[in-house]
């Protein structure tokens, strides 16, 4: 029997996680927009950092308010609004922001002038540096292949999608307006299915471009890594001949500086290489979702991109592997050299302790000699005092025997007494 809480909800009064609404809503965050035939889609992706993304969020909010809307909510990462007889979609990602608009295509030839109602005019404010620019035409099944004249035959790819329900053609080149052209010919797809295909094609172009950023990061790091490798070999060769403690310490400083420079470069490139791998995996996943197959006599998009995307990812991986290998070699060489320096320091400390031990023994002997002399000196003065006392007592008429005999008899007693006193004092200080 279903229980109803006091507030009318069918759920008990459980403590709800603050992330529950966001987690459940993320599934519906970017729904596929139905797209019919005879549509033009313009898609732009801009590289944005945190400050640029925040400024773009505010600009879009003001833009929507000026058109009678309310704009994206604080913290929102996607928003859709009607614009120019079509739909403008905005999405924010970790390092880029996309704007996508679809409107009614010109009834004439394909890839004619862009519809004047698009939002990317002088009033549009780009949030960052442009990276991706796409123009995608959605048409019905063509009666002939005259559309091929809009593409470069040398890099043209033609693929069947969704088990032949649609055909897509592109050459991955920029046209005169700087846009990459895609032509999607829909046969049996519904409007919702067409919207899903369009979104995945746009994602393929966006993510394959972003994935290539890692390749240029890798090629830029190659000269620096080669310099590190040469410098490491030279330092290792010097380490074989270095024997003095000062020379080893200088080498250790050089190894430490080299390791710091290597780790700084590796840390700076870790995000880029990781992101490129993730983007490349997304591209593969989108091709699998599209169920893409090459049209008879043509090259598929996946096969065409694999010629450059796969080697680029392998280059990124190779650079990462070289960085890791260099780091391990540097760590081993530094550890070995530090061990050598520590051994030299221990040898030096042992020699110093031996020298201090010899000095302490000499000091002890000197102290014992001084103590012996001090016993003799103090005894001499004490015996002298006894002699003066004996002579004074005899002069005073006291019954004192011979003063000289009395003084001589006092000598061994005084010496023993003073020696015993010094020994007691030394023993007392030793205990403390």
């Amino acid at each position: 029997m279903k229980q109803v809480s006091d507030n009318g909800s069918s759920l008990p009064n459980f403590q709800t996680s603050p992330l529950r609404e966001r987690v459940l809503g993320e599934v519906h965050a970017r729904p596929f927009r139905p797209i019919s035939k005879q549509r033009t889609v313009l898609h732009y992706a801009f590289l944005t950092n945190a400050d640029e993304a925040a400024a773009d969020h505010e600009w879009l909010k003001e833009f929507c308010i000026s058109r009678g809307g309310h704009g994206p909510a604080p913290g929102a990462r996607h928003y859709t609004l009607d614009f120019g007889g079509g739909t403008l979609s905005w999405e924010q990602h970790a390092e880029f922001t996309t704007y996508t608009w679809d409107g009614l295509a010109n009834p004439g030839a394909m890839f004619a002038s862009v519809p004047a109602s698009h939002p990317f005019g002088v009033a549009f404010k780009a949030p960052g540096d442009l990276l991706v620019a796409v123009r995608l035409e959605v048409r019905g099944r063509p009666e002939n292949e005259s559309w091929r004249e809009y593409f470069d035959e040398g890099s043209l790819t033609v693929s069947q999608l969704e088990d032949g329900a649609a055909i897509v053609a592109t050459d991955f080149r920029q046209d005169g307006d700087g846009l990459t052209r895609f032509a999607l010919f829909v046969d049996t797809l519904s409007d919702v299915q067409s919207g899903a295909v369009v979104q995945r094609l746009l994602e393929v172009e966006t993510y394959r471009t972003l994935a290539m950023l890692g390749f240029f990061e890798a090629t830029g790091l190659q000269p620096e890594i080669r310099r590190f490798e040469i410098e490491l070999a030279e330092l290792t060769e010097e380490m074989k001949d270095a024997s003095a403690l000062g020379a080893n310490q200088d080498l250790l400083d050089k190894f430490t500086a080299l390791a710091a420079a290597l780790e700084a470069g590796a840390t700076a490139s870790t995000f880029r290489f990781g992101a490129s791998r993730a983007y490349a995996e997304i591209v593969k996943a989108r091709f699998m979702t599209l169920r893409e197959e090459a049209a008879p006599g043509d090259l598929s998009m996946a096969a065409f991109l694999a010629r450059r995307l796969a080697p680029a990812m392998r280059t990124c991986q190779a650079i990462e592997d070289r960085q890791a290998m260099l780091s391990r070699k540097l760590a081993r060489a530094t550890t070995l050299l530090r061990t050598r320096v520590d051994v030299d320091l221990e040898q030096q400390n042992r020699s110093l302790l031996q020298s201090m031990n010899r000095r302490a023994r000499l000091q002890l002997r000197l102290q014992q000699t001084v103590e012996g002399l001090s016993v003799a000196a103090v005894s001499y003065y004490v015996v002298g005092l006894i002699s003066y006392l004996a002579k004074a007592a005899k002069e005073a008429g006291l019954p004192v025997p011979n003063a000289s005999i009395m003084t001589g008899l006092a000598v061994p007693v005084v010496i023993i007494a003073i020696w015993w006193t010094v020994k007691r004092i030394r023993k007392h200080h030793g205990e403390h």
Side-chain angles (χ1 to χ4, degrees):
M1 180 177 180
K2 181 168 69 175
Q3 298 180 352
V4 180
S5 62
D6 296 338
N7 58 10
S9 173
S10 60
L11 291 176
N13 292 322
F14 295 144
Q15 179 68 33
T16 304
S17 169
L19 296 177
R20 183 173 186 270
E21 294 297 330
R22 297 175 61 183
V23 171
L24 295 178
E26 187 63 24
V27 179
H28 310 284
R30 297 175 177 87
F32 299 127
R33 300 187 310 276
I35 293 181
S36 59
K37 301 174 184 177
Q38 303 299 322
R39 304 290 288 184
T40 294
V41 179
L42 298 178
H43 173 78
Y44 295 94
F46 304 90
L47 293 174
T48 51
N49 55 34
D51 294 336
E52 291 170 338
D56 180 60
H57 187 282
E58 292 300 319
W59 176 85
L60 180 63
K61 185 176 181 180
E62 295 176 0
F63 178 78
C64 294
I65 292 175
S66 67
R67 299 186 60 82
H70 53 80
R77 298 173 58 189
H78 55 88
Y79 189 73
T80 302
L81 71 152
D82 296 332
F83 188 96
T87 303
L88 177 63
S89 298
W90 167 84
E91 293 184 9
Q92 273 191 350
H93 299 262
E95 59 174 335
F96 66 97
T97 301
T98 62
Y99 281 88
T100 306
W101 178 80
D102 71 276
L104 187 63
N106 287 323
M110 289 181 60
F111 299 109
S113 59
V114 178
S117 58
H118 70 81
F120 306 110
V122 293
F124 178 76
K125 182 180 178 181
D129 294 336
L130 177 66
L131 183 67
V132 180
V134 179
R135 178 178 180 179
L136 189 149
E137 297 278 342
V138 183
R139 303 291 175 123
R141 178 73 71 170
E143 297 180 356
N144 53 52
E145 294 190 347
S146 60
W147 50 267
R148 288 180 176 269
E149 67 185 28
Y150 298 104
F151 299 98
D152 179 9
E153 284 290 340
S155 57
L156 177 62
T157 64
V158 184
S159 303
Q160 295 179 349
L161 308 178
E162 303 287 346
D163 300 324
I167 296 177
V168 62
T170 182
D171 57 4
F172 296 103
R173 292 187 179 276
Q174 298 183 23
D175 61 9
D177 297 321
L179 300 168
T180 303
R181 293 178 174 180
F182 282 79
L184 178 63
F185 303 108
V186 176
D187 189 4
T188 60
L189 295 179
S190 65
D191 290 351
V192 174
Q193 290 174 317
S194 297
V197 169
V198 167
Q199 182 167 330
R200 287 163 183 158
L201 290 174
L202 296 178
E203 289 174 347
V204 165
E205 176 63 13
T206 300
Y207 288 118
R208 71 99 179 177
T209 307
L210 287 164
M212 291 299 295
L213 294 179
F215 171 73
F216 298 105
E217 179 81 11
T219 54
L221 286 174
Q222 281 183 343
E224 186 178 31
I225 292 178
R226 181 56 183 161
R227 179 175 62 83
F228 288 156
E229 291 171 340
I230 295 174
E231 188 172 352
L232 175 60
E234 293 174 350
L235 291 177
T236 307
E237 191 66 27
E238 290 181 27
M239 188 174 67
K240 291 168 53 180
D241 302 327
S243 57
L245 178 60
N248 286 329
Q249 288 178 331
D250 291 341
L251 273 176
L252 185 58
D253 292 339
K254 293 179 181 179
F255 272 113
T256 303
L258 183 61
L262 176 63
E263 291 301 324
T267 302
S269 61
T270 296
F271 169 77
R272 182 75 278 146
F273 291 154
S276 291
R277 282 194 299 270
Y279 294 143
E281 290 299 321
I282 292 175
V283 172
K284 293 179 182 178
R286 295 299 180 267
F287 280 135
M288 293 179 62
T289 305
L290 288 169
R291 300 198 296 274
E292 183 221 15
E293 295 180 354
D298 288 294
L299 191 66
S300 68
M301 291 188 298
F304 179 84
L305 291 180
R307 295 169 50 198
R308 288 305 303 144
L309 190 58
M313 295 303 100
R314 286 194 292 269
T315 300
C316 295
Q317 186 63 50
I319 292 297
E320 274 194 302
D321 292 343
R322 288 174 67 183
Q323 287 176 329
M325 181 63 70
L326 267 174
S327 180
R328 289 193 294 268
K329 289 181 178 179
L330 265 171
R332 288 197 298 267
T334 304
T335 301
L336 179 61
L337 189 57
R338 184 175 289 111
T339 302
R340 181 187 292 181
V341 170
D342 290 342
V343 171
D344 291 341
L345 286 174
E346 289 177 2
Q347 181 66 31
Q348 189 179 66
N349 291 337
R350 187 175 69 175
S351 300
L352 180 61
L353 289 174
Q354 290 176 347
S355 175
M356 292 175 63
N357 192 22
R358 288 194 300 269
R359 198 173 293 116
R361 285 198 299 268
L362 292 175
Q363 186 176 4
L364 179 60
R365 292 174 183 173
L366 179 61
Q367 181 181 353
Q368 291 172 346
T369 302
V370 171
E371 286 178 357
L373 294 175
S374 64
V375 169
V378 172
S379 299
Y380 172 80
Y381 285 112
V382 171
V383 169
L385 290 175
I386 293 174
S387 175
Y388 287 130
L389 288 173
K391 291 178 179 179
K394 186 175 181 179
E395 291 291 334
L398 295 176
V400 177
N402 192 310
S404 299
I405 295 175
M406 185 176 179
T407 303
L409 293 174
V411 169
V413 176
V414 170
I415 291 176
I416 293 173
I418 293 176
W419 172 83
W420 181 82
T421 303
V422 170
K423 183 178 179 181
R424 291 279 298 177
I425 294 172
R426 186 170 57 187
K427 181 179 179 181
H428 175 73
H429 286 297
E431 290 177 354
H432 287 282

